[in-house]
Amino acid sequence: MVEISKATDADIEDLMAVRCEMLRIVNGLAPDYTFDDTLCGCSRDYFRTGDQTTVLARDGGRVIGCASISYIRVMPTFEHPTGKRAHLMNVYTNEAYRRQGIARKMIRLLVDEAKERGCTEISLDATEAGRPLYESTGFRENCSGMTLALRATPCRCCHATAEAARKAAAGGAQE
């Protein structure tokens, strides 16, 4: 039976393993692709010290899914008088366990926690495959936001980072 629980510091290796599994799949990388030390180190630090909650889904001792919510405080506005917001991310279920309601349960647990913490909005970045799940749990498209990339390497949504990683993993030339 699949059990869902909040991750603790003792779960750091399981957290890192399932996060890397998810990142490989989402970015179309080889199963043996190795992530750089910066991503791994910053991820470990964030799981240990960030204002976030991560839940893990386990079947016996095997981690088969995860979901995280990051808490953000911005200047209060009329629509968001507390300034407390959250960002849902890394919702992932191993392919063999999909379509069993596991991701929905993880999302519900995190949404309930965000409500308890006084958040007035939860945002997320959705893959095409994830959109139906998020829409069925009440999330709606929001076209009012914009972003400015402040890093030299473009984000995954621009495909350049993932494409370069795929080429490197395949032994191809990088641009």
Side-chain angles (χ1 to χ4, degrees):
M1 171 156 198
V2 174
E3 294 182 5
I4 298 170
S5 61
K6 289 183 183 178
T8 68
D9 285 343
D11 296 314
I12 191 68
E13 294 309 318
D14 288 339
L15 281 167
M16 290 303 299
V18 74
R19 175 163 169 70
C20 289
E21 178 182 327
M22 182 264 316
L23 288 172
R24 285 183 190 101
I25 290 168
V26 168
N27 290 292
L29 302 172
D32 62 346
Y33 180 83
T34 302
F35 292 97
D36 67 32
D37 291 340
T38 301
L39 177 72
C40 293
C42 290
S43 293
R44 282 178 191 281
D45 181 61
Y46 185 75
F47 283 131
R48 288 186 172 129
T49 63
D51 192 8
Q52 59 86 30
T53 299
T54 298
V55 293
L56 295 173
R58 290 186 170 93
D59 185 7
R62 180 177 178 219
V63 175
I64 54 91
C66 64
S68 298
I69 195 163
S70 300
Y71 294 100
I72 306 155
R73 187 164 181 222
V74 298
M75 184 179 294
T77 65
F78 183 74
E79 290 182 358
H80 306 285
T82 65
K84 296 178 182 179
R85 298 182 183 189
H87 189 77
L88 183 68
M89 57 192 308
N90 299 327
V91 178
Y92 170 74
T93 306
N94 180 280
E95 189 172 0
Y97 291 84
R98 292 184 185 160
R99 309 209 52 82
Q100 298 178 31
I102 296 166
R104 183 178 308 283
K105 289 176 187 173
M106 291 188 294
I107 291 169
R108 188 174 304 125
L109 193 151
L110 294 173
V111 167
D112 288 347
E113 180 182 276
K115 287 177 184 177
E116 290 171 12
R117 290 181 65 155
C119 292
T120 56
E121 179 180 77
I122 300 172
S123 60
L124 62 83
D125 300 316
T127 62
E128 285 304 313
R131 284 184 186 281
L133 169 66
Y134 299 129
E135 290 171 351
S136 74
T137 59
F139 286 86
R140 299 291 172 252
E141 186 75 32
N142 178 348
C143 296
S144 65
M146 298 175 77
T147 61
L148 172 63
L150 298 177
R151 58 184 176 170
T153 306
C155 66
R156 184 185 62 76
C157 61
C158 299
H159 303 289
T161 300
E163 184 62 27
R166 277 193 285 280
K167 285 180 182 178
Q174 290 193 13
E175 297 176 355

